[in-house]
Each structure stands twice: as structure tokens, then as C-alpha cells.
């Protein structure tokens, strides 16, 4: 069963109400002014990366495509809008027939981005495009924040497996999206069965402290778990005394014991002691998994420890201190008139306060140095220079209202690993710094 067969993991019949009230009132006013049909170009970008981050990660594109397909105003939704008098009857009639029929271009999921990168471009009539603003930003801001945190943690882990286990630390539906974004960013598995069901992410898990406390002794708990799950299971060894627990675990499971999990204490010190004890008991192949409020900094601090895998929860699903990517959705060009084929003119917000934007339909390309390493993000309007034509970043996602770029999650995961590897080495540094690539703006002549 594929993702498309499962539908969206929400208890509403459409995504149309995943929007803000003013999107619909803007539509009503534009319909009355006869400007709703003007061809328009909206772009998603961020003005800055979270403080100290070197790059961003595009996450949630696949979910955006699902949301656009399911953006429908059915009878129940229209009834709600009518009852609340959100918009007038002519607008409700327009919404009843709503189907996005425009085009969407964007950075493919898993790609990295920088300040000013045109992460997604939505083109069509003003009316059909403006309605998608909130749901697109909701998905991209959340998933990109989680994917970026996951990417940093994956870099810090240095190839050791990472388990996503943050479902109990966030909203139940956000947990599924977070698990997907974490897998995209480099995590290898999740504890969340809903994420496994919806996105085919490997799921793992064995027992918690409650299972040990249920039994009359730790030995009884370990014996019950091994009898049920086999010696290759993971035994949680920090409920009482870690040294005694490790000894008991090996006595019961033998040297074939799969793993032990440590969830508290000085993880660096305890991991070294447990590794030595396991080796002395003959369980040299038994792995050590550590959990307990880890983030990328804690993971990096354990780089020299005999740790085989990490379980991460709270810090991951909250973006490791940055729960949003601060993306915005801005009108950058619109037709001079409502006539079909009317030329586009650039538009931009010019107010002070750091919230300005750059008008015109953008393209983006990544310039490489002589060694094939990325050295700049080039964003421009007008024709793409020949030297950058083969390095363009935006791909077609939706054409004439039809999704044309749906792909397996593993494809986006692999793309991210390749994109991160193509950045300068300083991209993986955890110390605070500026974006690892500068963003250069160019205008190459006519066109908007």
C-alpha cells in the first residue's frame, strides 16, 4: 500500500480549512474587484537561517503535494463557512468548484537551501494561489525545521544509527510528520508505528522502565523479555544498578545479547564502563544504545564513546531549539491586467523593519568551485546564464494542477545525503557561524 492510498492522517475530509481566515476574505474582495483571476507568482523563501545554522533542509514537499491535491471545499466545509459568514455567497460558489490548476516548481525534497533561496514557486491565478499559502507554510516550516535538526544530528553521529522517538513529546499528528522529516534528514528508524504505517519507515522498540518495575525482580523482567523476543533483544539496564543489570542481562541472554540501552546518568562514563563489562563477560558483539534528552551537541560529545546507536526525542521534534524554518510565502510577480497572456510585472514589499522582499520570478542555481564543491547559491531573474544552466535547482512539481514529481521518501533521503556531502566541510560544524554558502542575486535582463 502506497502513501497515496492511505490519504492524509487527519480527521477532516479535506485540507481546505488548514488556512487562515484572511485568505478567504482576500479572495472575496479580489473576486469583487475582478482581480482574482490575474496571473500571479508566489514564492516561498526565508530571509535568514536560525541563529548559528549553516544550511537549511527542504522537508515536507511530498506532504505539500498531498495537501494541494486534497484542497477541496466540500459541502460540510462550505456549510461551516456559510454558517460563520466568513465569505459571501458568490465566493462560496467559486470555492465549491475550486481545484488548483496552476504550476508549482520547487527545490526537490532533501535539497539544502540558504537565505533567499526560492524554495517553492506557485503560479496560477491570484485566487487559486493565495488560498494555499497557510497550508504550504505550515508543512514546509515544520518539516524543514525537523529535517535540519535531524541532519545536524546525523552529521554529529558520524554514521552511527539514529532512532527517532519523539512521538510523546509533540502533537500526535505532528509526530508522524516529524518522524518522516527525521528519516529524510538521516535517521534510520522510528518508534512511532503511525509513521511506519504511513511512510514505510523502519520501526523499533522493546521495553521501558515500567516493564522492569512490573516484575518482582529485574532478573524476572529480563527473562520474560528474552523468552518472548529472543536473545537479540535490547535490554534496558538503568532501572536500578547498571553494573548488576548488565551482569544479569548477559547471564540470561548469553553472549548473543543484542543490545543494552542506557537512559540516564553520565552517558560518556557509563558507556565506557558498560562496554568494558560486556567485553569481560564475553558479550563483545552486544551493542550499546544511549537515550536521554540528546541533541546534536550531546551526540557529538559521545563521538569517542563506545556507543553504537542513539535514540532522540524531545530535541528532535522541537527542531533542536528552532521549531520553525521562518519561511514566508510572498507575491513576487503578477500580470498587468486580467487578460490571458498579459505580461508579468515584478512586485515586492518595500517597508522597513527587515521584512522586504525581491520582486520577480526567480530561478536558482548552485555554483561549484574547481573541485566540484558548492561555493555559492545564485538566485536570479531573467534568463539563466549558460554557465549555470546545468546547475539549476528548481524542478517541476505540479503542472496544470497535476502532480508530476511524487517520489519515494528514500529518494529524498538519498538526495539530502548527497547535497550535504557536496557542501564545504564547515557545513557540518556545530559551532555558531554564518550560512556556509553566500546567496548572490543577479538580474540577467528582460523577464519577471
Amino acid at each position: 500500500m502506497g502513501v497515496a492510498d492511505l490519504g492524509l492522517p487527519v480527521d477532516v475530509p479535506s485540507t481546505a480549512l488548514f488556512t487562515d481566515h484572511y485568505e478567504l476574505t482576500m479572495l472575496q474582495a479580489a473576486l469583487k474587484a475582478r482581480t482574482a483571476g490575474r496571473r500571479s507568482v508566489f514564492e516561498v523563501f526565508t530571509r535568514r537561517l536560525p541563529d548559528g545554522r549553516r544550511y537549511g533542509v527542504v522537508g515536507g514537499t511530498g506532504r505539500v503535494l498531498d495537501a494541494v491535491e486534497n484542497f477541496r471545499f466540500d459541502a460540510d466545509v462550505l456549510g461551516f463557512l456559510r454558517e460563520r459568514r466568513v465569505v459571501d455567497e458568490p465566493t462560496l460558489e467559486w470555492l465549491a468548484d475550486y481545484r488548483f490548476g496552476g504550476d508549482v516548481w520547487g527545490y526537490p525534497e532533501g535539497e539544502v537551501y540558504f537565505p533567499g533561496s526560492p524554495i517553492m514557486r506557485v503560479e496560477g491565478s491570484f485566487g487559486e494561489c493565495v488560498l494555499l499559502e497557510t497550508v504550504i507554510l505550515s508543512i514546509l516550516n515544520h518539516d524543514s525545521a525537523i529535517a535540519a535538526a535531524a541532519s545536524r544530528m546525523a552529521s554529529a553521529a558520524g554514521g552511527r544509527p539514529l532512532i527517532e522517538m519523539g512521538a510523546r513529546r509533540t502533537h500526535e499528528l505532528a509526530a508522524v510528520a516529524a518522524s518522516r522529516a527525521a528519516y529524510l534528514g538521516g535517521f534510520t528508524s522510528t518508534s512511532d508505528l503511525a509513521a511506519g504505517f504511513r511512510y514505510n519507515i523502519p520501526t523499533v522498540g522493546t521495553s521501558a522502565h515500567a516493564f522492569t518495575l512490573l516484575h518482582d525482580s529485574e532478573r524476572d523482567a529480563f527473562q520474560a523479555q528474552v523468552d518472548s523476543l529472543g536473545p537479540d533483544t535490547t535490554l534496558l539496564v538503568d532501572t536500578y544498578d547498571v553494573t548488576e543489570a548488565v551482569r544479569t542481562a548477559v547471564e540470561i541472554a548469553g553472549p548473543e545479547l543484542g543490545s543494552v540501552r542506557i537512559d540516564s546518568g553520565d552517558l560518556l562514563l557509563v558507556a565506557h564502563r558498560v562496554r568494558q563489562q560486556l567485553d569481560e563477560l564475553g558479550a563483545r558483539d552486544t551493542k550499546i544504545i544511549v537515550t536521554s534528552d540528546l541533541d546534536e551537541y550531546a551526540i557529538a560529545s559521545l563521538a569517542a564513546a563506545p556507543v553504537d546507536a542513539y535514540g532522540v526525542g524531545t530535541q528532535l521534534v522541537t527542531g533542536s531549539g528552532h521549531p520553525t524554518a521562518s519561511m514566508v510565502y510572498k507575491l513576487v510577480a503578477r500580470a498587468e491586467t486580467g487578460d490571458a497572456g498579459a505580461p508579468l510585472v515584478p512586485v515586492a514589499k518595500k517597508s522597513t523593519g527587515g521584512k522586504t522582499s525581491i520582486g520577480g520570478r526567480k530561478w536558482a542555481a548552485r555554483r561549484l568551485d574547481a573541485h566540484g564543491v558548492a561555493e555559492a547559491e545564485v538566485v536570479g531573474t531573467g534568463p539563466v546564464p549558460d554557465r549555470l544552466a546545468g546547475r539549476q535547482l528548481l524542478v517541476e512539481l505540479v503542472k496544470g494542477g497535476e502532480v508530476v514529481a511524487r517520489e519515494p521518501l528514500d529518494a529524498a533521503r538519498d538526495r539530502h545525503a548527497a547535497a550535504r556531502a557536496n557542501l564545504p566541510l564547515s557545513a557540518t560544524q556545530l559551532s555558531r557561524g554564518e550560512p556556509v554558502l553566500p546567496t548572490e542575486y543577479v538580474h540577467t535582463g528582460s523577464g519577471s
Side-chain angles (χ1 to χ4, degrees), residues 131-157:
L131 294 183
L132 299 177
E133 175 181 7
T134 302
V135 70
I136 287 176
L137 288 179
S138 176
I139 293 171
L140 292 180
N141 269 316
H142 174 269
D143 290 26
S144 296
I146 307 304
S151 178
R152 285 163 59 85
M153 292 174 188
S155 292

Side-chain angles (χ1 to χ4, degrees), residues 11-330:
D11 294 324
V12 296
S14 79
T15 55
L17 292 183
F18 290 171
T19 191
D20 289 308
H21 187 115
Y22 80 166
E23 310 290 10
L24 299 187
T25 52
M26 278 194 289
L27 171 65
Q28 176 179 308
L31 286 170
K32 188 172 183 178
R34 301 183 184 277
T35 53
R38 281 190 178 184
R39 182 181 170 208
S40 300
V41 180
F42 286 82
E43 288 177 352
V44 176
F45 62 93
T46 184
R47 297 182 175 95
R48 64 190 64 84
L49 297 180
D51 187 33
R53 296 285 174 90
R54 304 299 181 92
Y55 61 92
V57 181
V58 179
T61 307
R63 297 206 307 119
V64 167
L65 299 180
D66 290 340
V68 171
E69 280 192 333
N70 285 274
F71 205 90
R72 303 284 186 269
F73 292 84
D74 60 22
D76 290 340
V77 171
L78 292 170
F80 165 79
L81 296 175
R82 180 176 291 110
E83 177 186 350
R84 297 294 181 93
R85 297 183 179 180
V86 175
V87 290
D88 60 19
E89 283 299 324
T91 305
L92 291 173
E93 292 175 9
W94 191 94
L95 292 174
D97 296 326
Y98 180 85
R99 298 290 186 276
F100 179 73
D103 301 328
V104 179
W105 289 72
Y107 280 38
E109 191 161 19
E111 184 58 86
V112 296
Y113 69 86
F114 300 91
S117 296
I119 296 162
M120 187 169 286
R121 189 175 73 220
V122 182
E123 302 187 36
S125 70
F126 176 84
E128 64 183 335
C129 294
V130 74
L131 294 183
L132 299 177
E133 175 181 7
T134 302
V135 70
I136 287 176
L137 288 179
S138 176
I139 293 171
L140 292 180
N141 269 316
H142 174 269
D143 290 26
S144 296
I146 307 304
S151 178
R152 285 163 59 85
M153 292 174 188
S155 292
R160 296 171 178 174
L162 290 157
I163 306 164
E164 185 280 312
M165 46 198 306
R168 62 190 60 191
R169 303 301 187 208
T170 189
H171 185 280
E172 68 272 18
L173 297 182
V176 181
S179 180
R180 181 186 183 279
Y183 187 71
L184 165 69
F187 275 58
T188 53
S189 57
T190 179
S191 66
D192 191 343
L193 289 175
F197 173 71
R198 177 160 172 73
Y199 297 116
N200 199 31
I201 301 169
T203 59
V204 296
T206 52
S207 66
H209 291 104
F211 184 78
T212 301
L213 296 170
L214 168 68
H215 293 82
D216 294 336
S217 69
E218 192 169 53
R219 177 176 291 274
D220 290 345
F222 287 176
Q223 188 67 62
Q225 184 172 326
V226 171
D227 288 346
S228 175
L229 302 178
D232 193 37
T233 190
T234 299
L235 295 175
L236 182 58
V237 296
D238 72 326
T239 304
Y240 305 116
D241 180 80
V242 173
T243 301
E244 182 60 30
V246 171
R247 182 181 301 109
T248 302
V250 176
E251 287 177 2
I252 292 172
E256 295 80 24
L257 174 62
S259 307
V260 295
R261 178 163 75 95
I262 307 167
D263 188 51
S264 59
D266 183 336
L267 297 179
L268 179 62
L269 176 63
V270 176
H272 278 286
R273 288 177 175 174
V274 168
R275 181 73 271 160
Q276 180 179 355
Q277 185 182 9
L278 287 170
D279 291 348
E280 291 172 350
L281 293 171
R284 295 184 176 275
D285 294 328
T286 299
K287 292 179 169 51
I288 296 175
I289 301 172
V290 296
T291 53
S292 184
D293 290 329
L294 299 177
D295 61 10
E296 60 265 49
Y297 302 101
I299 292 169
S301 73
L302 293 168
V307 172
D308 298 285
Y310 307 90
V312 189
T314 302
Q315 292 300 317
L316 175 66
V317 299
T318 57
S320 194
H322 298 286
T324 177
S326 298
M327 295 178 186
V328 294
Y329 183 97
K330 297 299 181 183

